[in-house]
Amino acid sequence: MRGPVAALRRLETREALLLAFFATFIVLAKAALRWHLHVPGHSMFATALFLVVARACVPRTGAATAVGLLAGLVCAALGMGKGGPLIVVKLLLPGLVVDAGAALPRWSLPETLRGVLLGAAAGAMDFFPTATVELLAGMPAGLVAQHAALAAGTKGAFGALGGWAAVAIIRRLRDHGIIQDEAAHPSP
């Protein structure tokens, strides 16, 4: 039985703690970035950053998904966000995207571009929950598409910045021997 669930069942204590710490960092960043900066999507910077770094620190299938799910559950339990329990999906989808992107062959893209694209794709995943809620509320489909695309675009831009910063952090962690290169220790 190989897959995300089987891979996460064999987590070492160190890896489980790292995933919990990264989920905590996402929750704290969400709390700290609740200020009204009048820049939509700015909280995706920290979310993408910590999801990409978490996947690099725990190179296992499903690691970023677990971080997103855990952070979403904690945010929902604390009543954070405007969507209520929808915050779980809003954090789970970027985790799934980061895990899916991490499954791509390492040679397919330069590391920096890969990090930027992972962050942008993670941020753009906000399109689906936003569009779903607005369609269920009865808003016109054209307006929903425009608003969801704008929200996904700004979150994608901040996610790309977070992915770029994550690559810089990951390089530093590798240079100092804190984490191993994923090529030397591929995820199961």
Side-chain angles (χ1 to χ4, degrees):
M1 171 166 69
R2 292 182 54 97
V5 175
L8 289 176
R9 282 193 186 139
R10 296 186 308 267
L11 278 178
E12 298 174 9
T13 304
R14 176 189 157 279
E15 293 171 329
L17 285 172
L18 277 172
L19 294 179
F21 282 134
F22 283 116
T24 303
F25 294 150
I26 290 173
V27 172
L28 291 175
K30 286 260 182 222
L33 294 173
R34 289 183 75 175
W35 303 324
H36 296 288
L37 298 178
H38 303 291
V39 181
H42 63 279
S43 66
M44 187 50 71
F45 174 83
T47 302
L49 173 101
F50 291 127
L51 286 173
V52 173
V53 173
R55 183 60 174 85
C57 288
V58 181
R60 291 180 180 264
T61 305
T65 304
V67 169
L69 178 63
L70 183 58
L73 291 172
V74 171
C75 285
L78 294 175
M80 298 172 69
K82 296 177 271 187
L86 190 63
I87 189 80
V88 176
V89 175
K90 286 186 165 197
L91 289 171
L92 177 65
L93 287 176
L96 286 167
V97 167
V98 169
D99 276 331
L104 294 173
R106 293 194 68 199
W107 50 264
S108 62
L109 292 171
E111 188 176 33
T112 303
L113 181 60
R114 185 177 178 174
V116 168
L117 290 177
L118 278 177
M125 281 294 105
D126 191 56
F127 178 87
F128 298 108
T130 301
T132 302
V133 167
E134 291 176 354
L135 285 172
L136 290 174
M139 291 176 63
L143 185 61
V144 168
Q146 287 177 346
H147 180 253
L150 177 66
T154 57
K155 286 193 176 196
F158 279 104
L161 289 172
W164 175 73
V167 170
I169 291 170
I170 292 165
R171 283 184 183 150
R172 287 296 196 139
L173 292 173
R174 283 187 189 139
D175 289 346
H176 292 288
I178 296 171
I179 62 173
Q180 298 291 325
D181 189 9
E182 193 174 339
H185 301 282
S187 61

